[in-house]
Amino acid sequence: MANSAEQTVLQLDGFAMRSLQLSDLDALAAIWADPEVTRFLPSRGVPISRENAEKSLQSFIKHWQERGYGVWAIVENSSQMIGYCGLRYLDEINETEVLYGLAKAYWGRGIATQAAQAAVSYGFNVAHLDKLIAMALPDNLASRRVIQKAGLQYEKQIHIFNLDVLYYCAKR
């Protein structure tokens, strides 16, 4: 695994995680246009506009350049993005979170779990972070299982992004 965003590719079972690119905008916008996907995001079921998806994509790419870690595109058997996963520093709480999202067609296959485990490993072993967190809405049982399988333990409930979320933590 290389440290630069351009070369960082993680190979996993049946899929890969590669650096996000501006050409991923259509795929990201399609994922975030699905109310089932956004139901557990801060927009709470409201589709995220293409314009906001583009801003987020640019922010994810910039994050890699600034911090040397970030969010990858999850791709399956091609370069087509089916989701995203990675690490994002949150200024609001001065911590780095593990985040992920998949197109609904790929739910229930263990992809998010493998991707989150890879992101945690990268965070500790490559980026040398001392602590990672993850957050989930209390009713998002699938995401809570992913977080736990990735090695994070429940710590408390917090209020962030205008939501009450469950806060999980892992330390190196």
Side-chain angles (χ1 to χ4, degrees), residues 35-90:
E36 283 294 300
V37 173
T38 61
R39 178 171 58 136
F40 297 117
L41 297 178
S43 71
R44 294 300 279 147
V46 174
I48 296 169
S49 71
R50 181 179 178 85
E51 178 182 337
N52 285 340
E54 184 173 14
K55 287 178 186 172
S56 292
L57 182 59
Q58 290 171 347
S59 171
F60 290 157
I61 292 169
K62 183 179 176 189
H63 189 284
W64 270 104
Q65 296 163 350
E66 293 176 349
R67 298 203 171 262
Y69 62 86
V71 178
W72 290 272
I74 301 173
V75 296
E76 183 184 57
N77 299 328
S78 71
S79 61
Q80 177 60 39
M81 179 180 166
I82 61 168
Y84 57 91
C85 181
L87 307 169
R88 176 177 59 174
Y89 181 79
L90 297 172

Side-chain angles (χ1 to χ4, degrees), residues 12-142:
L12 301 164
D13 293 337
F15 66 97
M17 291 167 42
R18 63 151 170 81
S19 301
L20 281 164
Q21 304 157 1
L22 291 176
S23 60
D24 292 319
L25 177 59
D26 288 343
L28 182 61
I31 291 167
W32 283 350
D34 184 341
E36 283 294 300
V37 173
T38 61
R39 178 171 58 136
F40 297 117
L41 297 178
S43 71
R44 294 300 279 147
V46 174
I48 296 169
S49 71
R50 181 179 178 85
E51 178 182 337
N52 285 340
E54 184 173 14
K55 287 178 186 172
S56 292
L57 182 59
Q58 290 171 347
S59 171
F60 290 157
I61 292 169
K62 183 179 176 189
H63 189 284
W64 270 104
Q65 296 163 350
E66 293 176 349
R67 298 203 171 262
Y69 62 86
V71 178
W72 290 272
I74 301 173
V75 296
E76 183 184 57
N77 299 328
S78 71
S79 61
Q80 177 60 39
M81 179 180 166
I82 61 168
Y84 57 91
C85 181
L87 307 169
R88 176 177 59 174
Y89 181 79
L90 297 172
D91 288 317
E92 296 85 352
I93 56 175
N94 192 32
E95 297 190 279
T96 300
E97 77 165 328
V98 178
L99 73 147
Y100 46 85
L102 283 173
K104 188 175 181 209
Y106 296 90
W107 290 3
R109 299 187 193 182
I111 295 170
T113 297
Q114 284 186 62
Q117 289 169 336
V120 167
S121 176
Y122 188 94
F124 290 142
N125 300 319
V126 180
H128 304 293
L129 300 171
D130 291 322
K131 178 181 178 185
L132 294 171
I133 66 150
M135 296 174 284
L137 291 165
D139 59 340
N140 191 345
L141 299 178

